[in-house]
Amino acid sequence: DLAKVPSGFRAPPPPERLLFSESQSRILFEVAPDRLDDFRANLHRVPCAVIGEVTAAPTLEFVHGDRAVAKLSLAEMQRAWQAPLDFDGTLTGGGAR
């Protein structure tokens, strides 16, 4: 839930700003639920929030409060990530161009 992201802005920013702003102070960690207390203890006073969970679903979903922001399949994301680098078509299966 992007609404839980500590932003440091005076007014709550729109989800697009949270997803794409170039903040050097925002880092995403994957932490097992049984290690969350240890993780938070090591952060001391650094603001943090649990904003999601890893599931077996082959999708990535973003919500902001009760509003859906985006839902993408892992296959879509992989194609979008590889396509700009796929000069000869071998990454996405498109063959030589």
Side-chain angles (χ1 to χ4, degrees):
D1 184 349
L2 296 171
K4 296 178 181 178
V5 173
S7 69
F9 296 107
R10 289 184 190 134
E16 300 81 19
R17 185 178 225 178
L18 292 171
L19 285 170
F20 299 109
S21 66
E22 295 183 12
S23 172
Q24 294 182 7
S25 60
R26 211 172 295 136
I27 302 171
L28 184 67
F29 290 94
E30 180 182 342
V31 179
D34 63 329
R35 299 300 312 268
L36 189 55
D37 289 339
D38 292 334
F39 179 75
R40 284 186 168 142
N42 282 295
L43 289 177
H44 304 286
R45 293 188 180 109
V46 175
C48 70
V50 175
I51 62 167
E53 64 181 333
V54 176
T55 68
T59 57
L60 178 63
E61 297 180 53
F62 293 100
V63 297
H64 190 263
D66 59 358
R67 184 171 70 95
V69 176
K71 182 176 182 177
L72 304 162
S73 74
L74 294 180
E76 282 179 283
M77 291 185 290
Q78 184 175 5
R79 280 192 303 275
W81 171 63
Q82 288 179 330
L85 306 173
D86 194 14
F87 302 116
D88 64 359
T90 56
L91 294 174
T92 58
R97 291 184 218 157

